[in-house]
Amino acid sequence: MQTEAAMLAINELLDTEAEAKAYGAALAAVQNSYVPGARTTNFKKDLGQHAARLLPSLRQQPEMKQYYKDVSQRLEIEDEAAQQQDGDDDEIQMGGSNTGAAPNATCPYSGKPILELEDPVEDQKGYVYERKTIEHYIREAGGTLECPAAATNHFVTMATLKKANKVIRLQKKAQRLGTQGQTQADADIVDVE
């Protein structure tokens, strides 16, 4: 149930993103084509027409489809893990829009999903990053970096970073679940996709 709600929300977000891109491009097109003169221009109508022409192609962008597919796969793993939870990870809440192990679903700097990070670390507020990426940005910022996540106002330093143990446990659990009970037929289906 949570997976379906999350996927619907993601679909809405992707549609909204496509609409925003379409209107941005349409605004530029209207701006570039406007010629002051005797003709009265209905900007709202022109903007709507340009956006309507652009929107279908933006909704079909491969990166949007791939993102949707990636998120869907992660949510399925999390749902399966939640159903087969084996007691050692009772404190980890799974499902919803991310793993529950962190307030962010992806590293704000590398863009990788937190379950795919090679060396996940977390700051004092629980935000998870790829170690080498966040350390690079901290060094470039002179030792103190503002957390880039929306609606936060804390700073990250090398000293505030620690291993993201919940994420590491979830990664291991996802690996176990991904390899347990997989038949050759299951493997063939995965390969086709």
Side-chain angles (χ1 to χ4, degrees):
M1 196 61 90
Q2 288 179 348
T3 300
E4 290 173 24
M7 295 312 296
L8 285 173
I10 288 168
N11 227 2
E12 288 178 29
L13 287 172
L14 290 174
D15 277 349
T16 302
E17 181 182 21
E19 287 176 20
K21 286 180 179 179
Y23 274 95
L27 185 59
V30 168
Q31 183 180 13
N32 291 335
S33 66
Y34 175 69
V35 178
R39 179 179 157 255
T40 303
T41 303
N42 184 338
F43 290 106
K44 186 175 182 180
K45 179 181 171 191
D46 288 352
L47 186 63
Q49 288 173 343
H50 281 289
R53 280 194 301 269
L54 295 170
L55 193 54
S57 64
L58 290 172
R59 282 192 172 134
Q60 301 301 319
Q61 288 183 346
E63 64 269 12
M64 289 183 148
K65 289 180 180 179
Q66 185 60 45
Y67 176 78
Y68 187 84
K69 184 178 176 182
D70 292 346
V71 170
S72 177
Q73 287 174 331
R74 283 195 308 273
L75 288 173
E76 286 174 15
I77 288 171
E78 291 171 10
D79 277 354
E80 186 176 327
Q83 291 171 3
Q84 298 177 4
Q85 203 164 24
D86 62 359
D88 65 340
D89 293 330
D90 286 340
E91 74 278 7
I92 300 174
Q93 298 297 315
M94 296 172 65
S97 62
N98 67 31
T99 63
N104 56 315
T106 60
C107 171
Y109 290 103
S110 70
K112 287 184 183 177
I114 63 172
L115 291 178
E116 295 176 16
L117 299 177
E118 291 177 25
D119 189 6
V121 292
E122 65 182 332
D123 65 21
Q124 70 274 23
K125 300 285 186 177
Y127 288 85
V128 177
Y129 310 89
E130 179 74 63
R131 180 184 298 277
K132 109 178 137 174
T133 306
I134 187 68
E135 287 181 350
H136 167 78
Y137 281 102
I138 290 172
R139 281 191 297 276
E140 276 195 356
T144 302
L145 182 66
E146 187 173 358
C147 178
T152 64
N153 60 355
H154 68 281
F155 291 89
V156 184
T157 65
M158 297 285 199
T160 61
L161 295 176
K162 63 181 182 179
K163 240 184 199 322
N165 290 321
K166 286 183 181 180
V167 173
I168 293 167
R169 283 199 308 269
L170 281 173
Q171 288 173 330
K172 289 178 181 175
K173 190 168 195 167
Q175 282 180 325
R176 281 194 319 263
L177 292 172
T179 57
Q180 284 179 342
Q182 187 179 32
T183 65
Q184 184 58 45
D186 292 334
D188 291 342
I189 290 171
V190 171
D191 289 341
V192 170
E193 293 177 25

